[in-house]
Amino acid sequence: LRSGKWQVEDLLALAKPEDLVSSPDLKPLLNQDPHNPRLLLAEARLALLDNRLGEAKKWIDKAFAEGPSLVDVHAVHGLYLLEQDPSESSLVKWQKALPDDADEHPDVWTVRGVLARKQQDDAGAVRCFAEALLRFPDHRRATHQLSLAMATLGNDRRAAKLSERVRYMDQLSRSVDDIYLRSDWDEPWLRGANMLEQLGRIPEAVAWYRLIVQNNFGGVAAEKKAAEL
């Protein structure tokens, strides 16, 4: 982004990375390499997004068979458990099976935070969700859960700021969806650029504003905004 070497698809993928798992390239890649645990997990993540939980579990089991020590496999399994309204004991069992490098994964910390809340450990939950955001500042679920935990601890001001950040993320996601529906419509481009700016993702916001100028969507105002940032 800083070098200016990007395409429209790059900007949209960065703005809404979860859409990558629905790429039409996934099936052909998986056919070529059916034992690749990361491709199997992409199918699992797509099934989770579509709330096809039974199918997600099948893909997760296949990924476990191919890469039992891969932290991504355990992380996605944890996310799957969260969709099941899991018991405390099932999350404890999940945590005990984590590989040594699990601390580096934001989804792992997010699931740990949910476990901490189930154990009535709100301070511990705050720490877990904060650890997730240290690794991925735009993790929506961790941001939302941290807002709830902060509110429980009485830190309403911080909770409100985090809740506002979640709204910005949702607006950005909707902007990307609108662009896919009609890429020549200026409003979602301008909205998305503004949301990126509000989220502090300045290099992305600048790229969006420059693209808006190139496509004659925002005129002088967008050009000025890109220069200011």
Side-chain angles (χ1 to χ4, degrees), residues 82-208:
L82 294 188
E83 299 301 324
Q84 305 291 310
D85 190 21
S87 64
E88 180 181 329
S89 60
S90 66
L91 290 178
V92 169
K93 182 180 178 181
W94 166 84
Q95 179 160 253
K96 287 181 178 178
L98 290 173
D100 293 340
D101 58 344
D103 283 358
E104 299 309 311
H105 204 296
D107 287 336
V108 167
W109 281 106
T110 301
V111 180
R112 284 171 169 167
V114 173
L115 172 59
R117 294 203 77 193
K118 283 184 174 291
Q119 296 172 328
Q120 307 300 312
D121 180 9
D122 290 304
V126 165
R127 186 257 170 136
C128 291
F129 297 132
E131 291 282 357
L133 294 176
L134 282 174
R135 289 156 180 80
F136 182 24
D138 294 293
H139 195 296
R140 186 197 180 284
R141 189 172 208 154
T143 305
H144 175 64
Q145 289 291 335
L146 181 56
S147 174
L148 297 177
M150 284 289 190
T152 300
L153 292 174
N155 194 335
D156 294 336
R157 181 180 177 184
R158 183 59 179 158
K161 285 185 175 295
L162 289 163
S163 181
E164 182 179 52
R165 188 171 178 84
V166 171
R167 288 196 295 274
Y168 291 151
M169 293 179 190
D170 290 343
Q171 283 290 327
L172 177 59
S173 180
R174 281 192 286 272
S175 297
V176 173
D177 290 341
D178 290 342
I179 288 167
Y180 280 129
L181 290 173
R182 184 178 171 184
S183 62
D184 63 343
W185 185 23
D186 60 347
E187 195 277 333
W189 285 105
L190 292 164
R191 182 185 351 127
N194 180 252
M195 291 304 99
L196 286 165
E197 184 182 351
Q198 297 299 324
L199 289 166
R201 295 162 60 172
I202 303 304
E204 287 177 78
V206 170
W208 276 59

Side-chain angles (χ1 to χ4, degrees), residues 37-110:
R38 296 191 184 280
L39 294 176
L40 295 167
L41 283 178
E43 287 282 14
R45 285 185 179 274
L46 179 58
L48 285 175
L49 284 173
D50 293 339
N51 201 35
R52 293 179 279 115
L53 301 184
E55 186 176 340
K57 183 62 165 60
K58 291 178 182 178
W59 288 113
I60 291 169
D61 289 344
K62 290 181 179 180
F64 261 122
E66 301 296 342
S69 63
L70 189 66
V71 65
D72 279 347
V73 177
H74 292 264
V76 175
H77 182 221
L79 295 178
Y80 163 79
L81 290 175
L82 294 188
E83 299 301 324
Q84 305 291 310
D85 190 21
S87 64
E88 180 181 329
S89 60
S90 66
L91 290 178
V92 169
K93 182 180 178 181
W94 166 84
Q95 179 160 253
K96 287 181 178 178
L98 290 173
D100 293 340
D101 58 344
D103 283 358
E104 299 309 311
H105 204 296
D107 287 336
V108 167
W109 281 106
T110 301

